[in-house]
PDB file of all heavy atoms in Angstrom:
ATOM      1  N   PHE A 168       0.150 -30.447  79.948  1.00 94.00           N
ATOM      2  CA  PHE A 168       0.345 -29.666  81.171  1.00 94.00           C
ATOM      3  C   PHE A 168      -0.874 -29.776  82.090  1.00 94.00           C
ATOM      4  O   PHE A 168      -0.742 -29.950  83.311  1.00 94.00           O
ATOM      5  CB  PHE A 168       0.612 -28.208  80.791  1.00 94.00           C
ATOM      6  CG  PHE A 168       0.805 -27.280  81.949  1.00 94.00           C
ATOM      7  CD1 PHE A 168       2.000 -27.251  82.646  1.00 94.00           C
ATOM      8  CD2 PHE A 168      -0.204 -26.420  82.338  1.00 94.00           C
ATOM      9  CE1 PHE A 168       2.173 -26.394  83.713  1.00 94.00           C
ATOM     10  CE2 PHE A 168      -0.036 -25.559  83.398  1.00 94.00           C
ATOM     11  CZ  PHE A 168       1.160 -25.546  84.092  1.00 94.00           C
ATOM     12  N   SER A 169      -2.075 -29.699  81.518  1.00 95.00           N
ATOM     13  CA  SER A 169      -3.296 -29.820  82.317  1.00 95.00           C
ATOM     14  C   SER A 169      -3.412 -31.211  82.934  1.00 95.00           C
ATOM     15  O   SER A 169      -3.807 -31.347  84.099  1.00 95.00           O
ATOM     16  CB  SER A 169      -4.521 -29.533  81.446  1.00 95.00           C
ATOM     17  OG  SER A 169      -4.448 -28.249  80.864  1.00 95.00           O
ATOM     18  N   THR A 170      -3.067 -32.249  82.170  1.00 95.00           N
ATOM     19  CA  THR A 170      -3.152 -33.617  82.681  1.00 95.00           C
ATOM     20  C   THR A 170      -2.212 -33.828  83.858  1.00 95.00           C
ATOM     21  O   THR A 170      -2.599 -34.410  84.885  1.00 95.00           O
ATOM     22  CB  THR A 170      -2.817 -34.612  81.561  1.00 95.00           C
ATOM     23  OG1 THR A 170      -3.692 -34.403  80.448  1.00 95.00           O
ATOM     24  CG2 THR A 170      -2.968 -36.039  82.048  1.00 95.00           C
ATOM     25  N   VAL A 171      -0.991 -33.335  83.746  1.00 96.00           N
ATOM     26  CA  VAL A 171      -0.026 -33.463  84.841  1.00 96.00           C
ATOM     27  C   VAL A 171      -0.510 -32.693  86.065  1.00 96.00           C
ATOM     28  O   VAL A 171      -0.400 -33.167  87.210  1.00 96.00           O
ATOM     29  CB  VAL A 171       1.360 -32.976  84.393  1.00 96.00           C
ATOM     30  CG1 VAL A 171       2.327 -32.949  85.565  1.00 96.00           C
ATOM     31  CG2 VAL A 171       1.905 -33.869  83.292  1.00 96.00           C
ATOM     32  N   ASN A 172      -1.072 -31.510  85.864  1.00 97.00           N
ATOM     33  CA  ASN A 172      -1.585 -30.729  86.992  1.00 97.00           C
ATOM     34  C   ASN A 172      -2.699 -31.463  87.724  1.00 97.00           C
ATOM     35  O   ASN A 172      -2.736 -31.479  88.965  1.00 97.00           O
ATOM     36  CB  ASN A 172      -2.101 -29.379  86.498  1.00 97.00           C
ATOM     37  CG  ASN A 172      -0.988 -28.425  86.126  1.00 97.00           C
ATOM     38  OD1 ASN A 172       0.163 -28.612  86.526  1.00 97.00           O
ATOM     39  ND2 ASN A 172      -1.307 -27.410  85.357  1.00 97.00           N
ATOM     40  N   LEU A 173      -3.621 -32.061  86.992  1.00 96.00           N
ATOM     41  CA  LEU A 173      -4.730 -32.778  87.625  1.00 96.00           C
ATOM     42  C   LEU A 173      -4.233 -33.984  88.417  1.00 96.00           C
ATOM     43  O   LEU A 173      -4.725 -34.257  89.526  1.00 96.00           O
ATOM     44  CB  LEU A 173      -5.728 -33.211  86.554  1.00 96.00           C
ATOM     45  CG  LEU A 173      -6.460 -32.075  85.816  1.00 96.00           C
ATOM     46  CD1 LEU A 173      -7.323 -32.638  84.703  1.00 96.00           C
ATOM     47  CD2 LEU A 173      -7.304 -31.258  86.777  1.00 96.00           C
ATOM     48  N   LEU A 174      -3.250 -34.706  87.877  1.00 97.00           N
ATOM     49  CA  LEU A 174      -2.681 -35.829  88.614  1.00 97.00           C
ATOM     50  C   LEU A 174      -1.973 -35.363  89.877  1.00 97.00           C
ATOM     51  O   LEU A 174      -2.065 -35.994  90.941  1.00 97.00           O
ATOM     52  CB  LEU A 174      -1.717 -36.595  87.717  1.00 97.00           C
ATOM     53  CG  LEU A 174      -2.345 -37.382  86.566  1.00 97.00           C
ATOM     54  CD1 LEU A 174      -1.267 -37.918  85.637  1.00 97.00           C
ATOM     55  CD2 LEU A 174      -3.194 -38.535  87.099  1.00 97.00           C
ATOM     56  N   ARG A 175      -1.263 -34.250  89.795  1.00 97.00           N
ATOM     57  CA  ARG A 175      -0.561 -33.726  90.964  1.00 97.00           C
ATOM     58  C   ARG A 175      -1.538 -33.248  92.038  1.00 97.00           C
ATOM     59  O   ARG A 175      -1.262 -33.353  93.241  1.00 97.00           O
ATOM     60  CB  ARG A 175       0.372 -32.587  90.546  1.00 97.00           C
ATOM     61  CG  ARG A 175       1.515 -33.025  89.663  1.00 97.00           C
ATOM     62  CD  ARG A 175       2.467 -31.876  89.381  1.00 97.00           C
ATOM     63  NE  ARG A 175       3.169 -31.462  90.588  1.00 97.00           N
ATOM     64  CZ  ARG A 175       4.017 -30.446  90.644  1.00 97.00           C
ATOM     65  NH1 ARG A 175       4.270 -29.739  89.539  1.00 97.00           N
ATOM     66  NH2 ARG A 175       4.622 -30.137  91.770  1.00 97.00           N
ATOM     67  N   ILE A 176      -2.687 -32.719  91.618  1.00 97.00           N
ATOM     68  CA  ILE A 176      -3.695 -32.283  92.585  1.00 97.00           C
ATOM     69  C   ILE A 176      -4.212 -33.476  93.379  1.00 97.00           C
ATOM     70  O   ILE A 176      -4.310 -33.433  94.614  1.00 97.00           O
ATOM     71  CB  ILE A 176      -4.840 -31.553  91.855  1.00 97.00           C
ATOM     72  CG1 ILE A 176      -4.367 -30.173  91.362  1.00 97.00           C
ATOM     73  CG2 ILE A 176      -6.040 -31.378  92.784  1.00 97.00           C
ATOM     74  CD1 ILE A 176      -5.367 -29.479  90.463  1.00 97.00           C
ATOM     75  N   ILE A 177      -4.542 -34.571  92.683  1.00 97.00           N
ATOM     76  CA  ILE A 177      -5.000 -35.771  93.394  1.00 97.00           C
ATOM     77  C   ILE A 177      -3.911 -36.289  94.323  1.00 97.00           C
ATOM     78  O   ILE A 177      -4.183 -36.695  95.465  1.00 97.00           O
ATOM     79  CB  ILE A 177      -5.417 -36.858  92.385  1.00 97.00           C
ATOM     80  CG1 ILE A 177      -6.597 -36.396  91.539  1.00 97.00           C
ATOM     81  CG2 ILE A 177      -5.795 -38.137  93.121  1.00 97.00           C
ATOM     82  CD1 ILE A 177      -7.058 -37.434  90.546  1.00 97.00           C
ATOM     83  N   GLN A 178      -2.675 -36.285  93.853  1.00 96.00           N
ATOM     84  CA  GLN A 178      -1.575 -36.806  94.660  1.00 96.00           C
ATOM     85  C   GLN A 178      -1.365 -35.974  95.914  1.00 96.00           C
ATOM     86  O   GLN A 178      -1.112 -36.517  97.000  1.00 96.00           O
ATOM     87  CB  GLN A 178      -0.302 -36.854  93.817  1.00 96.00           C
ATOM     88  CG  GLN A 178       0.805 -37.721  94.382  1.00 96.00           C
ATOM     89  CD  GLN A 178       1.806 -36.928  95.194  1.00 96.00           C
ATOM     90  OE1 GLN A 178       1.918 -35.715  95.010  1.00 96.00           O
ATOM     91  NE2 GLN A 178       2.534 -37.601  96.065  1.00 96.00           N
ATOM     92  N   LYS A 179      -1.488 -34.655  95.812  1.00 96.00           N
ATOM     93  CA  LYS A 179      -1.315 -33.798  96.982  1.00 96.00           C
ATOM     94  C   LYS A 179      -2.477 -33.928  97.961  1.00 96.00           C
ATOM     95  O   LYS A 179      -2.288 -33.824  99.176  1.00 96.00           O
ATOM     96  CB  LYS A 179      -1.160 -32.339  96.537  1.00 96.00           C
ATOM     97  CG  LYS A 179       0.213 -32.019  95.955  1.00 96.00           C
ATOM     98  CD  LYS A 179       0.371 -30.543  95.686  1.00 96.00           C
ATOM     99  CE  LYS A 179       1.771 -30.231  95.202  1.00 96.00           C
ATOM    100  NZ  LYS A 179       2.794 -30.517  96.239  1.00 96.00           N
ATOM    101  N   LEU A 180      -3.677 -34.157  97.448  1.00 96.00           N
ATOM    102  CA  LEU A 180      -4.831 -34.289  98.338  1.00 96.00           C
ATOM    103  C   LEU A 180      -4.823 -35.606  99.105  1.00 96.00           C
ATOM    104  O   LEU A 180      -5.372 -35.675 100.211  1.00 96.00           O
ATOM    105  CB  LEU A 180      -6.126 -34.175  97.531  1.00 96.00           C
ATOM    106  CG  LEU A 180      -6.462 -32.809  96.934  1.00 96.00           C
ATOM    107  CD1 LEU A 180      -7.751 -32.874  96.142  1.00 96.00           C
ATOM    108  CD2 LEU A 180      -6.564 -31.743  98.021  1.00 96.00           C
ATOM    109  N   THR A 181      -4.223 -36.644  98.546  1.00 95.00           N
ATOM    110  CA  THR A 181      -4.274 -37.966  99.172  1.00 95.00           C
ATOM    111  C   THR A 181      -2.962 -38.382  99.834  1.00 95.00           C
ATOM    112  O   THR A 181      -2.933 -39.425 100.498  1.00 95.00           O
ATOM    113  CB  THR A 181      -4.649 -39.028  98.121  1.00 95.00           C
ATOM    114  OG1 THR A 181      -3.705 -38.985  97.043  1.00 95.00           O
ATOM    115  CG2 THR A 181      -6.043 -38.761  97.570  1.00 95.00           C
ATOM    116  N   LYS A 182      -1.903 -37.626  99.680  1.00 91.00           N
ATOM    117  CA  LYS A 182      -0.613 -38.026 100.232  1.00 91.00           C
ATOM    118  C   LYS A 182      -0.661 -38.030 101.750  1.00 91.00           C
ATOM    119  O   LYS A 182      -1.062 -37.049 102.376  1.00 91.00           O
ATOM    120  CB  LYS A 182       0.477 -37.076  99.737  1.00 91.00           C
ATOM    121  CG  LYS A 182       1.881 -37.499 100.144  1.00 91.00           C
ATOM    122  CD  LYS A 182       2.904 -36.542  99.554  1.00 91.00           C
ATOM    123  CE  LYS A 182       4.324 -36.963  99.925  1.00 91.00           C
ATOM    124  NZ  LYS A 182       5.337 -36.044  99.352  1.00 91.00           N
ATOM    125  N   TRP A 183      -0.245 -39.151 102.352  1.00 88.00           N
ATOM    126  CA  TRP A 183      -0.222 -39.354 103.805  1.00 88.00           C
ATOM    127  C   TRP A 183      -1.613 -39.244 104.427  1.00 88.00           C
ATOM    128  O   TRP A 183      -1.742 -38.962 105.615  1.00 88.00           O
ATOM    129  CB  TRP A 183       0.712 -38.343 104.493  1.00 88.00           C
ATOM    130  CG  TRP A 183       2.100 -38.335 103.965  1.00 88.00           C
ATOM    131  CD1 TRP A 183       2.711 -37.305 103.319  1.00 88.00           C
ATOM    132  CD2 TRP A 183       3.075 -39.371 104.043  1.00 88.00           C
ATOM    133  NE1 TRP A 183       3.993 -37.630 102.970  1.00 88.00           N
ATOM    134  CE2 TRP A 183       4.245 -38.900 103.405  1.00 88.00           C
ATOM    135  CE3 TRP A 183       3.078 -40.664 104.565  1.00 88.00           C
ATOM    136  CZ2 TRP A 183       5.396 -39.672 103.288  1.00 88.00           C
ATOM    137  CZ3 TRP A 183       4.224 -41.439 104.449  1.00 88.00           C
ATOM    138  CH2 TRP A 183       5.357 -40.926 103.816  1.00 88.00           C
ATOM    139  N   ARG A 184      -2.656 -39.454 103.649  1.00 91.00           N
ATOM    140  CA  ARG A 184      -4.025 -39.407 104.163  1.00 91.00           C
ATOM    141  C   ARG A 184      -4.704 -40.730 103.804  1.00 91.00           C
ATOM    142  O   ARG A 184      -5.227 -40.897 102.710  1.00 91.00           O
ATOM    143  CB  ARG A 184      -4.801 -38.229 103.574  1.00 91.00           C
ATOM    144  CG  ARG A 184      -4.276 -36.865 103.977  1.00 91.00           C
ATOM    145  CD  ARG A 184      -4.533 -36.601 105.466  1.00 91.00           C
ATOM    146  NE  ARG A 184      -4.025 -35.309 105.890  1.00 91.00           N
ATOM    147  CZ  ARG A 184      -2.809 -35.087 106.330  1.00 91.00           C
ATOM    148  NH1 ARG A 184      -1.941 -36.090 106.396  1.00 91.00           N
ATOM    149  NH2 ARG A 184      -2.436 -33.890 106.716  1.00 91.00           N
ATOM    150  N   SER A 185      -4.673 -41.668 104.738  1.00 90.00           N
ATOM    151  CA  SER A 185      -5.208 -43.002 104.458  1.00 90.00           C
ATOM    152  C   SER A 185      -6.699 -42.996 104.113  1.00 90.00           C
ATOM    153  O   SER A 185      -7.111 -43.694 103.178  1.00 90.00           O
ATOM    154  CB  SER A 185      -4.949 -43.922 105.654  1.00 90.00           C
ATOM    155  OG  SER A 185      -3.564 -44.079 105.873  1.00 90.00           O
TER     156      SER A 185
END
Side-chain angles (χ1 to χ4, degrees):
F168 179 77
S169 302
T170 303
V171 173
N172 286 342
L173 295 175
L174 290 171
R175 294 185 67 183
I176 288 172
I177 297 181
Q178 196 265 338
K179 284 187 176 296
L180 291 179
T181 57
K182 186 177 181 180
W183 305 115
R184 295 291 179 271
S185 297

